[in-house]
Amino acid sequence: MRSWRIGEKEEQYLLELLDSGFPGSGNGSFTGRLEKAFAEKFNSRYAISFCNGTATLHAALVALGVGPGDEVIVPPLTMSSTSLAVLHAGARPVFADVDRETFVLSPAAVGNRISSRTKAIMPVSLYGLPAPVDELEKFGLPVVEDSAECYLGRLNGRLAGTIGSIGSFSFQNSKHITCGEGGMTITNDEELALSLRRFSSLGYGQISAEPGKSKIDKNAIASPDTIRHTHYGFNFRLSELCSAFALAQLEKLDELVELRIACAEAFRKAAEGVSWLKPQRTPVNCVNSYWTAAFVLDTDRVPWNLFHKTFIANGGEGFYGAWRLAYNEPWFAEHVEHEPCPNAEYLQPRMIQMKTNYGNENELKSQIVAFTKTIEQVTKRS
Ligand SMILES: Cc1ncc(COP(=O)(O)O)c(C=O)c1O
């Protein structure tokens, strides 16, 4: 049986592509259709697709002129791609602490890390909650929004990913929408859009930021004198197959986000009033799109392993903790200097992330029962 996440539209578009024999690039290609639809959905002038949501961050930094000798401020409590992308661009990630209650980059902590070398700030809209991009913009530096985990989240009514200079999304399979692997950048700035496109497409000078224009027109390059590479770039393009699938997913994005919000609300309700189990705080000016429902075991009497083991014994499917802080991963510890980030260090070992993509109501119910039972049992023990 097919997964509930994959519907008839995905199949229809894939078959349409196979029947057409991969006709190529342009507005009518699936990549073109996906970029056009994504730009419309996010009220953005440009949407440039990529093969994943790490390449998007790398390209965004390069488009902003980030390179060797520069610093980019990032949170340490995030998937490693955020800081890896800074290294890919040849710059140095500078870690600033997160807020103890919202878990996203703290503007006050960022203020303490800015130096004459700081070229950009790259906050993460963690677990679906928009980062405080409006406050970060006050530092007068370009902001790249890592919105891989945040689709249709809002800050002061504005969609996450549309507030900073460039917004970056991922279509990796755990995300709100997927095509296995993929990514998208959005921007309103024509020059940035063209830089993003060129970087994703081998530095070709003849391409444009318009939808689907990631390949050179065949007739225009027939001559042996053709100049192709006016810029430096990678082949970070999204395939037509992935684009066809992602387009079908994008068309039901509202539905998929609503489902995550409903699942998260059920977990949050079950934890209401439990003093030692603190949900991620969603500020009143934000809409959280709940990639996961994150909680902190805000006590030393309930170790992560105990909660996890009890949840599974009660029929729970399991859950993830938080990634190790980037600067505590062995390679980073050896190569990247950092100042301590006490809030992130407190939160990381105590974080639990409940899954929010249950397509079946009974499945969700069984998880809420297991969660509730676990809270009761652990409360008695603690
Ligand atoms: C916050 C964050 N940034 C970046 C990425 C990288 O995206 P991708 O896996 O598509 O490269 C991910 C997820 O995978 C993520 O969660």
Side-chain angles (χ1 to χ4, degrees):
M1 207 181 67
R2 192 178 291 160
S3 154
W4 63 269
R5 288 179 89 190
I6 302 165
E8 281 171 18
K9 254 306 169 50
E10 283 82 348
E11 182 172 338
Q12 181 196 318
Y13 288 168
L14 287 175
L15 290 175
E16 211 177 291
L17 176 68
L18 298 183
D19 289 345
S20 71
F22 292 87
S25 61
N27 216 333
S29 67
F30 273 103
T31 308
R33 286 166 66 181
L34 172 68
E35 290 180 344
K36 192 161 178 289
F38 204 97
E40 276 168 16
K41 185 77 193 163
F42 286 83
N43 300 317
S44 209
R45 272 182 76 192
Y46 299 98
I48 313 284
S49 58
F50 281 79
C51 55
N52 59 59
T54 306
T56 49
L57 299 172
H58 177 186
L61 293 173
V62 172
L64 289 166
V66 172
D70 295 332
E71 294 177 353
V72 178
I73 298 181
V74 292
L77 182 67
T78 169
M79 191 252 178
S80 56
S81 287
T82 316
S83 31
L84 273 176
V86 179
L87 294 159
H88 294 161
R92 189 168 92 84
V94 171
F95 296 102
D97 209 354
V98 298
D99 181 273
R100 180 89 167 237
E101 294 187 344
T102 62
F103 316 157
V104 293
L105 197 56
S106 149
V110 169
N112 292 331
R113 295 284 196 264
I114 289 178
S115 77
S116 56
R117 284 191 290 273
T118 311
K119 205 62 186 273
I121 306 171
M122 192 149 71
V124 177
S125 292
L126 196 74
Y127 306 139
L129 178 71
V133 182
D134 50 351
E135 288 176 65
L136 295 171
E137 281 191 319
K138 291 183 186 151
F139 293 111
L141 291 158
V143 174
V144 175
E145 291 183 65
D146 184 350
S147 207
E149 300 172 8
C150 186
Y151 282 84
L152 306 187
R154 284 181 187 268
L155 171 68
N156 295 322
R158 297 168 77 190
L159 281 170
T162 66
I163 306 162
S165 304
I166 299 175
S168 164
F169 296 85
S170 163
F171 302 145
Q172 176 266 344
N173 55 300
S174 72
K175 301 303 188 290
H176 291 77
I177 53 173
T178 188
C179 57
E181 299 279 358
M184 189 70 81
T185 50
I186 53 175
T187 183
N188 286 325
D189 184 303
E190 191 178 344
E191 240 177 80
L192 289 178
L194 188 56
S195 299
L196 288 164
R197 176 71 88 203
R198 288 202 170 120
F199 196 70
S200 81
S201 300
L202 304 153
Y204 290 150
Q206 298 183 31
I207 51 178
S208 99
E210 295 307 317
K213 292 287 175 66
S214 60
K215 298 212 170 122
I216 319 181
D217 177 35
K218 277 191 190 128
N219 297 324
I221 52 164
S223 161
D225 294 331
T226 304
I227 291 173
R228 289 177 171 78
H229 304 277
T230 52
H231 292 71
Y232 180 67
F234 284 68
N235 184 352
F236 279 162
R237 290 180 293 225
L238 186 66
S239 75
E240 278 285 284
L241 271 172
C242 287
S243 299
F245 199 96
L247 178 62
Q249 292 264 298
L250 180 66
E251 287 173 3
K252 57 185 184 197
L253 176 61
D254 292 288
E255 218 178 290
L256 291 168
V257 171
E258 274 166 30
L259 176 80
R260 298 230 183 200
I261 293 175
C263 289
E265 278 170 357
F267 280 111
R268 287 168 74 98
K269 191 155 181 280
E272 244 167 39
V274 182
S275 62
W276 51 268
L277 191 58
K278 292 253 171 70
Q280 179 180 34
R281 186 172 75 80
T282 300
V284 285
N285 61 342
C286 287
V287 173
N288 192 329
S289 66
Y290 290 115
W291 175 58
T292 56
F295 297 84
V296 167
L297 296 166
D298 199 19
T299 168
D300 287 334
R301 282 177 304 172
V302 183
W304 191 95
N305 281 331
L306 171 70
F307 196 88
H308 190 249
K309 204 173 74 185
T310 314
F311 182 60
I312 289 178
N314 285 328
E317 196 194 334
F319 53 77
Y320 285 103
W323 319 261
R324 285 175 80 94
L325 298 186
Y327 61 64
N328 283 335
E329 291 286 353
W331 188 90
F332 284 84
E334 201 177 314
H335 296 93
V336 183
E337 280 171 30
H338 75 276
E339 296 288 329
C341 296
N343 288 339
E345 284 171 21
Y346 177 83
L347 295 170
Q348 188 272 334
R350 296 172 173 81
M351 189 73 72
I352 65 173
Q353 294 186 65
M354 306 311 295
K355 214 175 112 173
T356 54
N357 62 337
Y358 290 104
N360 170 319
E361 223 172 280
N362 288 334
E363 256 180 55
L364 173 65
K365 268 191 198 145
S366 72
Q367 297 305 303
I368 298 296
V369 168
F371 190 61
T372 308
K373 217 163 144 190
T374 303
I375 294 171
E376 282 166 12
Q377 290 171 351
V378 171
T379 301
K380 273 185 216 144
R381 273 189 241 176
S382 67

